[in-house]
Amino acid sequence: MAEADGAEDRKPQSDEAHSAFTPPPGMEPEVLEEDQPTSEFARPAGADPVQPELEEGSAFAAPATYRAAQSPPAYTPGQGFPVVRMKESPWQDRMRTMLRMPVDVRPVPELVQRQSEAGPAVGRVLDLTLRIGELLLAGGEGAEDVEAAMFAVARSYGLDRCEPTVTFTMLSITHQPSLVGDPVSASRTVRRRGPDYNRLAAVFRLVDDISAHEIDVSLEEAYRRLAEIRRNRHPYPGWMLTASAGLLAGAASTLVGGGVLVFVAAVIGAVLGDRLAWLCAGRGLPEFYQFVVAAMPPAAIGVALNMTGIDVKASAVITGGLFALLPGRALVAAVQDGLTGYYITASARLLEVMYLFIGIIMGVLVVLYVGLQFDASPRPEEVLQIQQRPLIQIAASMVLVFTFAILLQQERSTVWIVTLNGAVAWVTFGALHYAGGIPPVPSTAIAAGLVGLFGQLFSRYRFASALPYVTAAIGPLLPGSATYYGLLLIAENRLNEGLGSLVNAAAIALAIAIGVNLGSEASRLFMRIPGAASAAKRRAAKRTRGF
């Protein structure tokens, strides 16, 4: 029987017993209940990829903060970002505040100007923006304010995600319609620069109208107004500019102790220098040589007066001529760009100031050296002996500022305001330096700070640029005496003392520029900027701390 049973076990089984779908013995399939719910989106078991464990610090290891269990709070809070409403503040403050924000947290632009159904004309808007920025930069405006104006124009015509960039000779702007859209970029080169604050004020009014909700300025209207601004003639004729240059030098010579004869000599020297500079400009000579030529006539007249033996302060003639030539406007703009983080533009502007200053030095030194060969006996000590005449000096400072404003082609309505601002600056400097005995550098910085403060407040009151209220007002503070004293010592082969005086002049010039900028920044303490508080935590995105 056992053998029979074994034979039966060895007997071949049927085909059903060897079916490919029959599970082998011991491998029972898992039976799911029919009513168990399943998701069609569920990942099958065993389908999770196995990530190899990398050593901590590996370049290919994902940061720990990327794990969902240990991730930090989301970048956008649950309640969202607060709505920034800044309609009530001037466009300069609104745009400057938004420029300091990252692109992804800027408020959505509220459409200011009407658009067609097809949307904004991107190419024309970018071109208009660049043309406006070109006029502002050519007029001497700081890089930060130029970027703010370009940003205001682009947003007013419906272009979000715009990034303007300003350097000394190049402007560019990039517009990206969406996170996945192709960016559109345009650029423009600034070929010519010249101080024309009348044109600058007109451009600011155009930008203000474009940014205003209650004023409708189409693209065609904006182009028409921009063309009119370019075609506008200067508010003052050429003969008035030449006369203003002479009166500026005469007032500066009176400011440092000159009399009537010195005043007349300084006027004649500055007028001759101005005409020679115009002649060189007409011949196409660079600005460097124009400054060299313009510095020679006042120096020559001063040396001639010294050689005649007339008892006058001949050095005041040369000092007055230097006041008319020192590039205070470019220096203030250069330091302002550096303090606001535009270091490339600031470096280029400072290099320009250095070249112009070297041109002035060369023109004066050549004349002084020739005079010494003819036995001229200049007295360096008389340069620093400034007689204190408060009323006469205040009047001279006001004449200096008034003529300086005309040379800058300012509007007639702003000339009187900046003249009063300059008088306040000189009174402050005289009270601190002459009456209080404070050294000239801190006295100059404080006086320049008041100039910047009042200039910024005036500009906010009139919704205009601050330059027309600031630049001419620093004229009486320029270091003309220290510059001439250093040049005279160098001409007499007293190199160490001469360089020390020039360094002192440079320190005074920097004190002027830093004081003006500090006063402008301090003015924000007196102005409430709507929406600035909500962006206060993100201002470091624009102005870093150096690390």
Side-chain angles (χ1 to χ4, degrees), residues 185-241:
S185 298
S187 61
R188 194 172 183 87
T189 303
V190 179
R191 300 292 183 185
R192 299 180 61 185
R193 295 183 303 276
D196 189 345
Y197 287 178
N198 183 44
R199 178 180 294 175
L200 189 71
V203 177
F204 259 77
R205 284 193 293 270
L206 174 59
V207 177
D208 186 57
D209 290 344
I210 292 175
S211 306
H213 289 263
E214 59 274 7
I215 301 178
D216 184 17
V217 182
S218 63
L219 277 174
E220 290 73 15
E221 176 68 15
Y223 269 107
R224 185 190 63 79
R225 291 179 57 177
L226 195 61
E228 289 182 355
I229 293 173
R230 284 182 176 274
R231 288 195 302 265
N232 279 347
R233 297 178 62 86
H234 297 311
Y236 309 105
W239 65 266
M240 185 177 291
L241 298 179

Side-chain angles (χ1 to χ4, degrees), residues 368-433:
L368 290 179
Y369 180 77
V370 173
L372 289 176
Q373 303 307 310
F374 285 92
D375 297 329
S377 57
R379 298 184 296 273
E381 63 279 357
E382 77 172 6
V383 179
L384 303 179
Q385 295 173 358
I386 300 177
Q387 185 180 359
Q388 299 182 25
R389 301 173 294 177
L391 295 180
I392 296 177
Q393 288 177 320
I394 293 174
S397 66
M398 295 180 69
V399 173
L400 190 155
V401 175
F402 182 84
T403 52
F404 197 178
I406 292 177
L407 287 175
L408 293 174
Q409 304 282 357
Q410 291 191 198
E411 292 180 309
R412 291 178 173 85
S413 60
T414 64
V415 170
W416 298 106
I417 298 177
V418 71
T419 300
L420 294 176
N421 200 12
V424 170
W426 177 255
V427 169
T428 304
F429 173 79
L432 293 175
H433 180 56

Side-chain angles (χ1 to χ4, degrees), residues 498-519:
L499 291 178
S501 182
L502 290 180
V503 169
N504 184 37
I508 294 175
L510 289 177
I512 293 173
I514 295 175
V516 168
N517 183 265
L518 186 60

Side-chain angles (χ1 to χ4, degrees), residues 68-141:
Q70 303 176 356
S71 63
Y75 183 68
T76 304
Q79 69 275 12
F81 287 107
V83 178
V84 181
R85 300 188 182 276
M86 299 183 287
K87 290 183 181 180
E88 300 83 2
S89 60
W91 63 265
Q92 298 99 314
D93 297 323
R94 300 199 311 266
M95 298 305 115
R96 191 180 292 112
T97 300
M98 282 188 283
L99 276 173
R100 295 171 187 171
M101 298 180 184
V103 179
D104 51 351
V105 299
R106 289 174 184 167
V108 177
E110 300 178 6
L111 196 61
V112 177
Q113 303 298 333
R114 291 180 298 178
Q115 303 295 332
S116 62
E117 296 180 358
V122 177
R124 298 196 67 196
V125 172
L126 294 184
D127 179 68
L128 175 67
T129 301
L130 289 173
R131 291 178 182 272
I132 289 177
E134 177 191 8
L135 288 181
L136 292 176
L137 188 62
E141 192 62 75

Side-chain angles (χ1 to χ4, degrees), residues 350-366:
L350 285 176
L351 189 62
E352 180 191 33
V353 171
M354 185 187 71
Y355 272 107
L356 299 182
F357 193 69
I358 292 176
I360 298 171
I361 290 175
M362 288 181 59
V364 176
L365 278 180
V366 168

